[in-house]
Amino acid sequence: MTKLVRLLALALLVPAVAQAQWAPYSDPRIPRRADGTPDLDGPPPRTADGKPDFTGVWQGYGTLGGTPAEPQPESDVPVAGFANVAQNMKEPLPLRPEYKALADARRAGGGKDNPEAQCLPMGIMQFHTQGAPRKFIQTPDLLVILYEASMGVRQIFLDGRHTPIEDPHPWWYGYSVGHWEGDTLVVVTKGLRDGEWLDIFGTPLTDAATYTERFRRVSYGRMEIDITVDDPKAYTAPWTVRVNQRIMPGQELIEFVCNENNRYFVRD
């Protein structure tokens, strides 16, 4: 488990150190209470066409990013974990036998082959649960998510296009198309690469998978994302977890480059 411990330690340490390198910016658009503090319970901002605006820098509810931990909001949907995506589910994931064996083997290996440990993209689920900040940039036709962790970039198309029926090129983050259902942004992602890890333990995802994410900005300061994984190649049924995010008023991302002098891939 040595490499797993190292990986977790790096995930905890880097954002906490990095966050302190930027001075907070007093954004005049932040709603504030009478004492000048941000009103995180205020209503979510909206775009010119009346849709909830997800623009801003967000992070999870843990201790990363130099901010104190907060309890997760109450939920009837199990909250995903970074080390183990299913840690709060009442029943085990409905893995097919061969993929349960793969998950067990990865876990027994201490996460040493996790893509993130080799400076490769960690995939959508790990990006959701990883504690480093992420920045949402929303336009009417496109939502861009910049992840501080490994400097990941994701595009979600909102311009009415459809997911390609036959795309010979698989994507690390898939091909994401979104539409609005009231105040909920529903995003469907297909076209993923085979062999993805959903968490540090190695819960598998295949190229047959579809992610369906439901983004809701509950208040100015809180966003919840329900993620349904439908992967008939690896699972006998779809399953859903939740990720809670909180706003980081006045903060910005910094560089996080996993490249030079990387040594995680060296076998002990």
Side-chain angles (χ1 to χ4, degrees), residues 95-123:
L95 279 160
R96 296 188 182 277
E98 62 272 31
Y99 283 93
K100 183 180 186 306
L102 173 61
D104 291 345
R106 288 174 172 177
R107 185 167 182 171
K112 61 181 174 57
D113 295 319
N114 188 302
E116 185 192 11
Q118 303 181 45
C119 286
L120 294 173
M122 65 182 79

Side-chain angles (χ1 to χ4, degrees), residues 75-107:
S75 170
D76 56 355
V77 179
V79 175
F82 181 54
N84 177 9
V85 69
Q87 68 182 36
N88 292 309
M89 298 183 73
K90 294 180 179 179
E91 301 292 336
L93 289 174
L95 279 160
R96 296 188 182 277
E98 62 272 31
Y99 283 93
K100 183 180 186 306
L102 173 61
D104 291 345
R106 288 174 172 177
R107 185 167 182 171

Side-chain angles (χ1 to χ4, degrees), residues 47-82:
T47 60
D49 60 358
K51 301 299 184 186
D53 190 352
F54 295 100
T55 298
V57 178
W58 299 85
Q59 70 171 159
Y61 273 67
T63 58
L64 301 183
T67 52
E70 293 183 14
Q72 293 278 356
E74 293 185 6
S75 170
D76 56 355
V77 179
V79 175
F82 181 54

Side-chain angles (χ1 to χ4, degrees), residues 164-232:
I165 297 175
E166 294 184 8
D167 187 354
H169 180 76
W171 300 72
W172 286 102
Y173 311 138
Y175 194 98
S176 298
V177 173
H179 68 275
W180 292 95
E181 294 182 1
D183 284 347
T184 299
L185 178 61
V186 181
V187 177
V188 176
T189 300
K190 299 182 178 182
L192 295 151
R193 294 169 62 97
D194 203 32
E196 183 177 317
W197 292 43
L198 294 176
D199 50 28
I200 290 180
F201 282 167
T203 302
L205 194 77
T206 77
D207 53 1
T210 298
Y211 279 113
T212 301
E213 300 155 286
R214 303 180 70 86
F215 293 78
R216 290 181 290 269
R217 188 162 185 176
V218 180
S219 63
Y220 174 78
R222 184 163 73 88
M223 170 170 47
E224 60 185 28
I225 311 166
D226 288 349
I227 309 138
T228 298
V229 174
D230 186 358
D231 185 354

Side-chain angles (χ1 to χ4, degrees), residues 21-22 25 30 34 49 61 65 73 95 123 147 150 153 156 180-181 204 215 223-224 243 251:
Q21 296 180 17
W22 283 102
Y25 167 66
I30 297 173
D49 60 358
Y61 273 67
L95 279 160
Y147 297 94
S150 302
V153 178
I156 298 173
W180 292 95
E181 294 182 1
F215 293 78
M223 170 170 47
E224 60 185 28
V243 174
Q251 297 294 332

